[in-house]
Amino acid sequence: GAGVSQSPSNKVTEKGKDVELRCDPISGHTALYWYRQRLGQGLEFLIYFQGNSAPDKSGLPSDRFSAERTGESVSTLTIQRTQQEDSAVYLCASRQTGGSYSPLHFGNGTRLTVT
Amino acid sequence: GQQLNQSPQSMFIQEGEDVSMNCTSSSIFNTWLWYKQDPGEGPVLLIALYKAGELTSNGRLTAQFGITRKDSFLNISASIPSDVGIYFCAGQLASNYQLIWGAGTKLIIKP
């Protein structure tokens, strides 16, 4: 596809359940980021993948959060035992690397509501 | 950690007015980016700045990369209703790939 695709677009889950969010980056983009955006807030960095290098997980807020990416393709963000404070929009972004800086391209996000 | 101070937090303006917003930091950046986010969507890149002093336009939008490399501004001329949204600045540190984000400026246009 032409842009970053995220699914589902909306997810409502009960507190304590696990959720899995998916991101399809732009083809050829080696770098992939996950961000969290709470209502009315800015972007909070969660995790960064670059090719086959070890991911930068420094932004993950707790061990309930994890993410995977196989090569330069799809990434999944998993939240275990969801809490109400996990309610937010989860944004995925990708970009090319190498050469001059290439800006991030964002998906439309997954709006997660934990009841 | 590094922070970007983005101001104003929100703006209420009349259609046709010019808009100005800015970001400042205590850190030096080698790239400044300005994004716009519409409701229910991800941020979309408006302007990218790569060199200190650079002034770049994109239609009615103009942005500048400050000479000190610690600040940037975005101007919107003759605002129209579709300019409504949240504008974010982001800077990339010279030392790594990470982007530091401002908290956003919410633009509201009074009809």
Side-chain angles (χ1 to χ4, degrees), chain B residues 23-106:
Chain B
C23 282
T24 61
S25 174
S26 58
S27 300
I28 291 175
F29 294 99
N30 66 353
T31 301
W32 279 95
L33 306 165
W34 285 92
Y35 282 83
K36 183 193 177 202
Q37 186 176 28
D38 291 327
E41 298 184 10
V44 174
L45 181 69
L46 298 175
I47 292 179
L49 302 160
Y50 300 107
K51 196 164 63 173
E54 181 180 354
L55 183 71
T56 297
S57 293
N58 178 6
R60 294 177 296 105
L61 277 61
T62 302
Q64 185 159 31
F65 192 146
I67 286 291
T68 64
R69 297 169 64 194
K70 295 181 180 182
D71 63 325
S72 177
F73 71 74
L74 174 71
N75 289 340
I76 305 172
S77 63
S79 57
I80 60 177
S82 62
D83 292 335
V84 164
I86 303 175
Y87 293 79
F88 290 99
C89 63
Q92 186 194 17
L93 295 170
S95 57
N96 65 51
Y97 52 82
Q98 275 295 3
L99 284 179
I100 309 299
W101 291 82
T105 294
K106 187 172 185 178

Side-chain angles (χ1 to χ4, degrees), chain A residues 29-91:
Chain A
H29 282 194
T30 55
L32 186 147
Y33 299 71
W34 282 98
Y35 288 92
R36 179 168 69 179
Q37 186 177 29
R38 291 202 165 101
L39 186 64
Q41 303 292 315
L43 279 69
E44 177 186 359
F45 167 75
L46 296 177
I47 189 168
Y48 165 76
F49 294 92
Q50 168 57 53
N52 293 317
S53 301
D56 177 353
K57 304 179 182 181
S58 60
L60 294 179
S62 78
D63 60 7
R64 296 187 295 106
F65 288 72
S66 62
E68 293 184 350
R69 186 186 188 196
T70 304
E72 296 180 1
S73 60
V74 171
S75 176
T76 55
L77 176 69
T78 301
I79 309 173
Q80 295 178 308
R81 304 181 303 282
T82 51
Q83 303 295 312
Q84 287 185 328
E85 69 255 26
D86 299 335
S87 296
V89 174
Y90 290 83
L91 290 162

